[in-house]
Amino acid sequence: EVQLVESGGGLVQPGGSLRLSCAASGFTFSSYAMSWVRQAPGKGLEWVSAINSGGGSTSYADSVKGRFTISRDNAKNTLYLQMNSLKPEDTAVYYCAKDRYSDYDVGYLEVWGQGTLVTVSS
């Protein structure tokens, strides 16, 4: 069974940092691109970042560029999102998602985790 389990969310003050993790199982993790997508309270889904299967290529939404870093450890079957300089508008449920392909160009996200809540507030 393909499974994605996010962790690392919580309450953080503005300007703070958090690192999210996504543990993958049930598929060959190193063969697929991965993404992070978020949903703020009362709003729609917003794509945040993507990384290709080998980890050598990444992409970011303008809203997080320069503050967030996506990475992966294919030996540990784990995806990460390092979030720095957090703002209240970053408050959302963060989901990791598996792409159908090794590159993220098409953005066909076919499997999603259950999400982890990040709250940025003083």
Side-chain angles (χ1 to χ4, degrees), residues 2-54:
V2 176
Q3 197 168 18
L4 299 171
V5 180
E6 301 94 336
S7 61
L11 174 64
V12 62
Q13 292 188 341
S17 298
L18 277 178
R19 188 175 83 155
L20 305 183
S21 299
C22 172
S25 60
F27 65 100
T28 305
F29 180 71
S30 60
S31 294
Y32 299 94
M34 299 290 295
S35 286
W36 288 99
V37 180
R38 67 185 181 185
Q39 185 169 31
K43 297 190 175 182
L45 293 171
E46 178 189 16
W47 172 80
V48 174
S49 183
I51 187 167
N52 71 345
S53 59

Side-chain angles (χ1 to χ4, degrees), residues 1 32 36 83 88 96 98:
E1 177 190 6
Y32 299 94
W36 288 99
M83 306 186 294
C96 68
K98 171 191 174 293

Side-chain angles (χ1 to χ4, degrees), residues 7 16 23 27 36 44 55 62 64-65 70-71 94 96 108 112 119:
S7 61
F27 65 100
W36 288 99
D62 288 343
V64 306
K65 199 172 294 182
I70 191 172
S71 63
Y94 284 73
C96 68
Y108 194 115
W112 296 65
T119 303

